[in-house]
Amino acid sequence: MKVADPLPPGSRVGILGGGQLARMLSLAAARLGIDCHIYAPEAHSPAFAVSAARTIAAYDDFAALEGFARAVDVVTYEFENVPGDTAGFLDRFVPVAPGVAALKTAQDRIAEKTFIDGLGIPVAPFAEVSDTATLERALSRIGTPAVLKTRRFGYDGKGQTKIHPGADPDAAFAEIGRQPAILEGFVAFEKEISVIAARSWSGEVAVYDVPENHHEHHILKTSTVPASIPADVAEKARGFGGRIIAALDYVGVIGVEMFVAGGDVVVNEIAPRVHNSGHWTMDACHVSQFEQHIRAICGWPLGAPDRHSDVVMTNLLGDEIGRWCELAAEPAVHIHLYGKAEARRGRKMGHFNRLTPRQP
Ligand code: AMP
């Protein structure tokens, strides 16, 4: 189903998932007079405190899903591991954005890489792996070092292992739980960047500036905008983002993670949702990725993605949340906390954007 006419203020957006991304979507929607209804299995979800309505139920509780679908005007999600059956079921009652086809492509690393490669956009060499024998064949074609990743459900470096020259393939396959997998050639990248783009139901596309991303222990730590890359490389990355979102017939905000290697841009993966490396847009742009997503899925005109400031976004992980008071005292810092009670190690508790005047 599609949203034909712009949903007026007072409409309801349903969000699958109740974490910080849903929370920030809900806050952005509220500014536009749109209410959010969160659907999540966890009784203490960060998004509940700032949303108009909630359903606490499992993602395969079809009676609860139907009640949720009937109570909202459009459904979206804050994480990519929504079961395909769930999204497909909801789509019988209410528009779902991004759509089920885009979701399925992004959920499976083989489908994702095949799709991007088919657009003529560079990806790491890759091969499908189903057992140790196919892994050995893939290694003899792709070589080492290489990265073995589960086809599905990987995030923040989980479900993947690097294979060094001479390593035992069977041990590597055991390490990722002997699950259906993908072998990728290791990209000796100079930088990690990403592109945050949005597309409306009518096909209008808006692409933000390119952040440079630094990870610690596989978790995003900072996004710096502008990235220190040549302008033509940034334009190429933005162009790839725009082509991917259009070819997916996608509605909403997408995050496309990329490597810069040898001055070229190689696409790593697609996140079919608002993205942590787009949090800087909340304070350095007039229209944040969260407002942009709500605009896109509700059939509103997209906002200009223009950036008015230079910015570094820093995630507050685990007990770094303890810096809140010191950070709140800095005039150029905009702080966003997610209302999570327990500061477990590596857990995303909040982030802050430090702005500086935009350099020409
Ligand atoms: P992913 O789960 O695909 O986002 O990978 C997590 C991180 O692992 C990336 O941000 C990279 O730092 C690294 N990585 C993933 N795939 C590759 C690759 N093919 N070559 C080099 N590094 C990789």
Side-chain angles (χ1 to χ4, degrees):
M1 295 176 77
K2 291 189 168 190
V3 172
D5 297 311
L7 297 174
S11 298
R12 290 209 159 198
V13 167
I15 305 177
L16 295 173
Q20 67 268 16
L21 300 179
R23 180 178 167 108
M24 291 185 274
L25 283 169
S26 201
L27 288 167
R31 285 209 317 156
L32 305 179
I34 290 172
D35 292 331
C36 287
H37 182 147
I38 307 296
Y39 187 111
E42 300 86 7
H44 300 286
S45 294
F48 286 164
V50 300
S51 301
R54 69 182 74 167
T55 299
I56 301 171
Y59 293 119
D60 59 357
D61 179 341
F62 290 95
L65 286 169
E66 182 174 342
F68 167 70
R70 291 188 187 283
V72 299
D73 301 296
V74 62
V75 165
T76 190
Y77 37 88
E78 62 140 24
F79 68 116
E80 56 270 47
N81 292 329
V82 174
D85 289 352
T86 301
F89 177 79
L90 291 167
D91 191 49
R92 288 170 29 200
F93 304 97
V94 67
V96 175
V100 179
L103 179 65
K104 287 193 168 159
T105 303
Q107 281 178 337
D108 175 2
R109 291 188 192 269
I110 296 280
E112 179 181 66
K113 288 249 158 40
T114 305
F115 167 77
I116 299 164
D117 188 43
L119 296 177
I121 293 174
V123 290
F126 67 98
E128 193 175 331
V129 169
S130 49
D131 51 27
T132 306
T134 47
L135 175 56
E136 279 167 358
R137 280 200 295 278
L139 281 167
S140 60
R141 180 161 75 76
I142 290 173
T144 49
V147 185
L148 182 66
K149 305 177 181 177
T150 55
R151 274 177 79 152
R152 299 171 63 88
F153 303 126
Y155 70 99
D156 286 347
K158 296 198 171 60
Q160 65 173 270
T161 184
K162 188 171 174 184
I163 304 185
H164 297 276
D168 173 15
D170 189 59
F173 193 51
E175 199 177 322
I176 62 151
R178 300 190 185 279
Q179 300 178 61
I182 183 172
L183 184 76
E184 295 179 11
F186 185 81
V187 179
F189 58 81
E190 290 108 46
K191 289 184 188 300
E192 292 194 79
I193 59 171
S194 55
V195 169
I196 308 299
R199 185 168 174 275
S200 68
W201 291 99
S202 62
E204 187 191 353
V205 171
V207 186
Y208 288 95
D209 277 348
V210 177
E212 176 174 337
N213 303 318
H214 286 278
H215 298 83
E216 280 175 16
H217 309 295
H218 288 289
I219 299 174
L220 183 68
K221 187 62 196 163
T222 62
S223 293
T224 303
V225 196
S228 58
I229 54 175
D232 61 321
V233 175
E235 273 322 293
K236 188 185 248 188
R238 294 176 78 239
F240 287 169
R243 277 170 59 200
I244 288 169
I245 201 169
L248 279 172
D249 198 21
Y250 188 99
V251 174
V253 164
I254 199 170
V256 185
E257 297 177 17
M258 307 180 185
F259 303 125
V260 178
D264 213 346
V265 177
V266 177
V267 172
N268 177 31
E269 70 171 356
I270 297 171
R273 52 173 169 76
V274 286
H275 196 257
N276 194 169
S277 73
H279 289 2
W280 58 272
T281 61
M282 296 174 89
D283 301 300
C285 298
H286 295 294
V287 176
S288 74
Q289 63 165 347
F290 299 101
E291 177 175 335
Q292 195 75 293
H293 186 73
I294 298 294
R295 283 173 173 251
I297 67 172
C298 290
W300 287 35
L302 295 184
D306 305 354
R307 177 173 58 83
H308 54 71
S309 299
D310 290 354
V311 56
V312 179
M313 186 288 305
T314 303
N315 271 337
L316 292 168
L317 304 174
D319 57 16
E320 289 166 2
I321 181 76
R323 295 177 62 195
W324 64 269
C325 196
E326 154 217 333
L327 289 165
E330 276 193 56
V333 163
H334 298 254
I335 185 163
H336 303 268
L337 306 179
Y338 306 153
K340 296 181 183 177
E342 216 189 317
R344 286 195 298 272
R345 195 161 164 263
R347 192 176 195 204
K348 291 175 181 168
M349 302 298 291
H351 69 270
F352 63 92
N353 290 322
R354 183 175 275 121
L355 301 187
T356 47
R358 187 180 166 135
Q359 299 301 309

